[in-house]
Amino acid sequence: MKIIHTLPVMIRSECFRDDDLSMARACFESLRSSEDHLVVLYNQGCLSNDNLRALLTSCGLSAVILGHGENIGIARARQTCFEYIWKHHRDVEYISEIHVDMVFPRNWYVPLLDFLANSDEPMISPGIVTMYGELQPSGLDAVTPDDQEADLITLLGELKRDEVVEGFVHPVVHKARILREIGGYDTQFLRGKQGYEDDSLLLSYYYYMGTRTNWRPKCYLKSWVYHATMAQRMTLPDKHMEFALNEEGLIRQYGAYGLMRLSNIHRNPSAFDNLLQKIIQQ
């Protein structure tokens, strides 16, 4: 086993429940088709661990379940999964971050592992197709089929090309050793349930790689995954408060210089201007 996948799982209640269960089943069944399909999950609600395990078993997926149905936030959940792997699977070479609103072709990670094994990059992403037919990170469009369980997998295979482009999307595959060296997500700063956790991790890698390299994240387009993106989290209550907590944490952790580096990483000089002005005014 070369790779272990990490996944915070949230099944929303009431009117979202059936859609979320259908989405989770599609995700789990597609993961099961790959050779390495051990997943370390963090249960963030609203299923009990027994019900979640029953769902996983029905999909034939191997999983470790952490948590007990409480939404502790993305960064804390991911970090708990990382720390479990670092403790119990010290020899695993790669760790992925995946989401429940994804559909995976068989062995989707294999080209990504081959790329990492032959490069100095600490992490790599595939290309993704969103629920709106956007091809990221290129920004182009595609027509997504109605049958996500079958024709969608065919579309993902047709998009493959042996090309590396700058950009960052989820899922992402990390070299486990380097992820451990940078410490993963620093939840002392990331106290909100969501927001800016990716930017915090990208800055950690930027400093790890050395500022002289002008490192940027990359996508290897020999692998493609369906990712609905923001399918759940943007419906949660108090999301703006949670973003604000992590915004404050990002500023405290990296300061003005870090925000300027993020603008460079994302090739968007104005992306963090508002945050930078907050620091200047303070």
Side-chain angles (χ1 to χ4, degrees):
M1 180 173 58
K2 285 193 170 186
I3 185 170
I4 297 177
H5 312 288
T6 65
L7 174 60
V9 174
M10 179 188 304
I11 304 298
R12 294 168 295 177
S13 58
E14 299 173 352
C15 60
F16 296 109
R17 184 183 177 92
D18 289 345
D19 287 343
D20 283 4
L21 285 172
S22 177
M23 181 173 62
R25 181 172 291 279
C27 174
F28 296 160
E29 289 178 347
S30 68
L31 280 172
R32 178 61 184 86
S33 69
S34 294
E35 293 175 10
D36 285 354
H37 54 262
L38 175 60
V39 185
V40 177
L41 303 173
Y42 196 99
N43 181 9
Q44 296 201 291
C46 64
L47 297 182
S48 68
N49 283 4
D50 288 342
N51 288 339
L52 180 56
R53 185 168 298 284
L55 175 60
L56 291 161
T57 300
S58 70
C59 296
L61 190 62
S62 304
V64 173
I65 299 177
L66 307 177
H68 299 281
E70 177 189 359
N71 180 13
I72 64 171
I74 296 173
R76 284 181 61 194
R78 293 280 190 199
Q79 186 68 13
T80 302
C81 293
F82 294 163
E83 290 173 0
Y84 178 91
I85 295 170
W86 294 336
K87 179 178 180 180
H88 297 281
H89 298 275
R90 298 179 63 89
D91 294 333
V92 74
E93 295 180 66
Y94 304 99
I95 295 173
S96 82
E97 294 184 76
I98 61 177
H99 293 249
V100 75
D101 59 342
M102 292 179 173
V103 175
F104 301 89
R106 174 176 167 77
N107 293 340
W108 62 278
Y109 52 81
V110 170
L112 305 179
L113 303 195
D114 290 343
F115 174 83
L116 288 176
N118 293 286
S119 79
D120 292 330
E121 292 294 320
M123 50 161 274
I124 192 69
S125 298
I128 64 168
V129 179
T130 75
M131 64 188 299
Y132 304 108
E134 297 167 326
L135 305 181
Q136 299 294 351
S138 69
L140 301 175
D141 295 318
V143 178
T144 54
D146 293 332
D147 184 1
Q148 293 182 1
E149 307 264 339
D151 294 342
L152 182 57
I153 299 295
T154 299
L155 170 64
L156 296 172
E158 292 172 349
L159 292 170
K160 291 182 182 180
R161 59 184 187 272
D162 194 1
E163 181 181 353
V164 179
V165 297
E166 290 185 355
F168 176 77
V169 299
H170 273 256
V172 57
V173 175
H174 305 273
K175 289 180 177 175
R177 174 185 59 81
I178 299 178
L179 181 63
R180 187 170 187 176
E181 285 186 27
I182 67 171
Y185 295 105
D186 193 334
T187 55
Q188 297 177 97
F189 295 99
L190 298 170
R191 296 181 295 115
K193 289 185 171 63
Q194 59 183 324
Y196 297 105
E197 59 275 349
D198 292 338
D199 294 310
S200 176
L201 199 63
L202 289 176
L203 277 174
S204 293
Y205 277 131
Y206 179 83
Y207 291 127
Y208 176 88
M209 296 297 288
T211 55
R212 66 181 178 82
T213 67
N214 202 29
W215 177 83
R216 291 186 179 89
K218 299 172 182 64
C219 298
Y220 186 32
L221 302 185
K222 204 169 183 179
S223 174
W224 286 81
V225 169
Y226 173 79
H227 185 187
T229 73
M230 296 295 189
Q232 292 180 305
R233 300 283 175 174
M234 295 309 290
T235 68
L236 299 181
D238 301 325
K239 58 181 178 295
H240 299 299
M241 294 174 60
E242 303 297 340
F243 270 87
L245 280 172
N246 279 357
E247 175 184 290
E248 179 185 357
L250 184 72
I251 291 172
R252 289 181 180 274
Q253 187 177 12
Y254 289 108
Y257 184 75
L259 296 182
M260 289 188 287
R261 294 301 94 203
L262 275 175
S263 294
N264 186 51
I265 287 171
H266 293 300
R267 288 194 180 278
N268 187 349
S270 64
F272 295 90
D273 279 355
N274 290 338
L275 295 187
L276 189 57
Q277 288 304 314
K278 283 187 180 182
I279 295 178
I280 293 172
Q281 291 168 8
Q282 292 170 2

